[in-house]
Amino acid sequence: MYSVEKIRNDFPILSRTVNGNKLVYLDNAASAQKPLCVIEAVRHCYSHEYANVHRGLHHLSNLATDNYERVRGKIRDFINAGSEDEIIYTTGTTEGINLVAYAWAMNRLEAGDEIVLTSMEHHANIVPWHFLRERMGIKLKWVDPEGDGDLDPDRIITAIGPKTRLIAVTHMSNVLGTLVDVKAIAQEAAQRGVPVLVDGSQSSVHTRIDVQELGIDFFALTGHKLYGPSASGALYVKRERLTEMRPFKGGGDMIRDVSKEVVSYAGGTQGFEAGTPAIVQMIGLGAALDYLSNIGMDNIARHEVDLRNYADQKLRDRNWLNIQGNAPNKGAIFSFTLDGPAHPHDLSTVLDGKGIAVRAGHHCAQPLMKFLGVTATCRASFGLYNTRKEVDALVEGLELCRDLFS
Ligand code: PLP
């Protein structure tokens, strides 16, 4: 039985006040709060089990290495990868996608080749491809969503041409909440020999992920949105793609041999994990994944669907709010603007005065803002600890904004 009150007790920050009001935290799409088990895992590691990993032969180094490496299996289970050998540790989705750009795409693509992407992408899934456009002459082929923010997989599939070498697509828009049918895209892409990279930064928090069932080649996730520490994350790389990648970050821990003349690289994922990693953060992510698995991703998804439906009905009842995106399959993320002179930043400031944390701005999605014909929106995003009462508090806060700015 899903008890949101019990879950809230696991998150100490939720009982604090902000500007004299009980905190209502609705900025989960930017970063989620941390449960006690994650905080405790980090504290315990630094207090009792910390040393550098993979290097030492002493007790603490072996202990830290075991704890750190054990997380690879947890990530594998969390996204149902075929093997731990397909999981590269990263500092988040941004690093994961850049890794695909530098280690895979730069090694495989040439001038004139195309990458298909959508106007709904976060800059993390745009800028690395612009690098390739600027530096290698790669062409970017953009696919727009429908007016309601839905993305028909056929739009992507029909954009695939003889020069398409990669499809880079979000699984869930961080602005509109749209869930994209990446399985349908991957099925058609595979028949045409085109790999698919999925930005799972948002989707992995809200739905159960099975990368094998989705049939995709790369999947990037971010630990700090998954209730884990910042600077933790992972990139799933299908085994056959791993053999097509060349290391791009050189340094300690990723070599087989180094001499003055030549260098050879460690095989598998190790070749992509140079330098001292985010040891404690990854151990914290392991605790977060345990926490999510114990609650059950299907239960979390059900709770969030309930919140989405409730918020959808409440917000759409207010005809002075312009809600962006109404895809039939969407998660609990709402972007909106207010009729009249108020800028989204104004809304955010007024709501903050009531202890309600939302995000305002372009959400690192400027091409989408252009498509929507706005420069910014206000965004409320829900997580596993949010309640219907908090939706009510948001609506009340927005009514105050309407009264102030009309
Ligand atoms: N992709 C999406 C859809 C996001 O929402 C975000 C963060 O907001 C990112 C990528 C980047 O994640 P990070 O900055 O944690 O690497």
Side-chain angles (χ1 to χ4, degrees):
M1 174 70 181
Y2 194 93
S3 165
V4 71
E5 283 314 319
K6 195 161 156 274
I7 287 170
R8 289 180 72 81
N9 288 337
D10 295 332
F11 291 81
I13 205 169
L14 296 181
S15 54
R16 67 159 288 169
T17 56
V18 168
N19 293 322
N21 295 283
K22 195 156 183 264
L23 169 66
V24 174
Y25 188 77
L26 302 179
D27 196 17
N28 296 286
S31 198
Q33 301 299 346
K34 318 303 170 200
L36 275 169
C37 61
V38 170
I39 298 167
E40 175 54 23
V42 170
R43 195 196 64 80
H44 182 80
C45 181
Y46 277 133
S47 306
H48 303 287
E49 297 184 341
Y50 180 77
N52 210 331
V53 291
H54 298 153
R55 289 160 168 77
L57 291 177
H58 59 83
H59 177 78
L60 276 184
S61 179
N62 289 334
L63 195 57
T65 302
D66 285 350
N67 291 340
Y68 170 80
E69 280 302 328
R70 199 171 302 122
V71 179
R72 223 178 278 276
K74 294 180 190 209
I75 297 169
R76 179 206 56 209
D77 293 348
F78 189 71
I79 59 172
N80 195 32
S83 155
E84 287 180 24
D85 300 337
E86 296 174 316
I87 307 295
I88 300 176
Y89 284 176
T90 65
T91 54
T93 301
T94 302
E95 191 185 7
I97 296 174
N98 274 275
L99 182 58
V100 178
Y102 281 91
W104 184 82
M106 274 194 184
N107 195 33
R108 305 282 299 175
L109 274 55
E110 51 189 43
D113 284 345
E114 289 169 3
I115 296 175
V116 172
L117 68 170
T118 83
S119 325
M120 272 196 309
E121 303 308 317
H122 186 280
H123 293 168
N125 200 20
I126 296 176
V127 182
W129 313 122
H130 267 312
F131 286 172
L132 267 57
R133 180 190 58 73
E134 284 176 348
R135 296 167 198 186
M136 296 173 64
I138 302 303
K139 295 201 168 118
L140 306 188
K141 215 168 175 181
W142 294 90
V143 174
D144 285 337
E146 333 280 327
D148 65 357
D150 196 16
L151 187 77
D152 183 346
D154 278 346
R155 287 196 179 214
I156 300 236
I157 292 156
T158 52
I160 300 173
K163 288 273 187 184
T164 304
R165 300 286 174 260
L166 180 71
I167 295 167
V169 63
T170 188
H171 201 185
M172 179 176 177
S173 161
N174 64 313
V175 178
L176 306 175
T178 306
L179 282 152
V180 176
D181 187 352
V182 291
K183 184 176 174 183
I185 294 168
Q187 263 167 4
E188 292 293 329
Q191 284 181 16
R192 293 161 172 81
V194 179
V196 176
L197 174 146
V198 173
D199 175 347
S201 195
Q202 297 293 339
S203 64
S204 54
V205 186
H206 304 287
T207 54
R208 198 170 51 78
I209 302 294
D210 185 332
V211 288
Q212 295 187 77
E213 194 194 325
L214 294 176
I216 57 182
D217 298 80
F218 304 99
F219 185 86
L221 61 80
T222 276
H224 68 90
K225 296 186 205 287
L226 277 163
Y227 309 95
S230 52
S232 64
L235 176 72
Y236 159 78
V237 183
K238 200 190 234 173
R239 192 182 291 272
E240 62 193 277
R241 299 288 161 237
L242 202 59
T243 58
E244 298 170 350
M245 289 167 68
R246 285 183 75 181
F248 89 103
K249 208 164 69 172
D253 221 24
M254 52 74 74
I255 53 91
R256 187 167 293 132
D257 265 312
V258 181
S259 70
K260 283 185 178 166
E261 292 75 30
V262 286
V263 57
S264 61
Y265 308 113
T269 54
Q270 204 190 330
F272 304 98
E273 295 179 355
T276 297
I279 302 165
V280 184
Q281 289 87 340
M282 289 307 294
I283 290 171
L285 175 59
L289 296 182
D290 287 344
Y291 181 78
L292 294 175
S293 304
N294 285 338
I295 299 174
M297 284 310 290
D298 291 338
N299 295 328
I300 293 169
R302 247 192 310 277
H303 174 71
E304 291 186 7
V305 165
D306 175 68
L307 278 180
R308 180 205 61 197
N309 292 343
Y310 185 72
D312 196 61
Q313 176 225 322
K314 286 273 172 175
L315 294 171
R316 278 184 210 283
D317 272 357
R318 273 71 194 167
N319 62 5
W320 35 271
L321 267 182
N322 308 309
I323 299 174
Q324 302 288 355
N326 187 22
N329 196 10
K330 65 164 280 185
I333 293 180
F334 291 88
S335 281
F336 46 81
T337 53
L338 192 67
D339 277 346
H343 188 275
H345 287 179
D346 298 326
L347 305 188
S348 169
T349 305
V350 172
L351 292 172
D352 187 49
K354 294 284 170 195
I356 304 168
V358 295
R359 170 107 182 249
H362 57 59
H363 313 291
C364 299
Q366 283 183 326
L368 179 60
M369 293 295 119
K370 193 159 183 215
F371 173 79
L372 297 171
V374 295
T375 52
T377 70
C378 201
R379 178 186 73 187
S381 52
F382 297 84
L384 84 175
Y385 39 58
N386 289 121
T387 63
R388 284 181 169 213
K389 255 194 190 156
E390 291 182 312
V391 174
D392 295 339
L394 171 68
V395 171
E396 248 176 63
L398 288 172
E399 279 169 350
L400 175 67
C401 293
R402 179 205 49 189
D403 295 345
L404 282 173
F405 293 111
S406 59

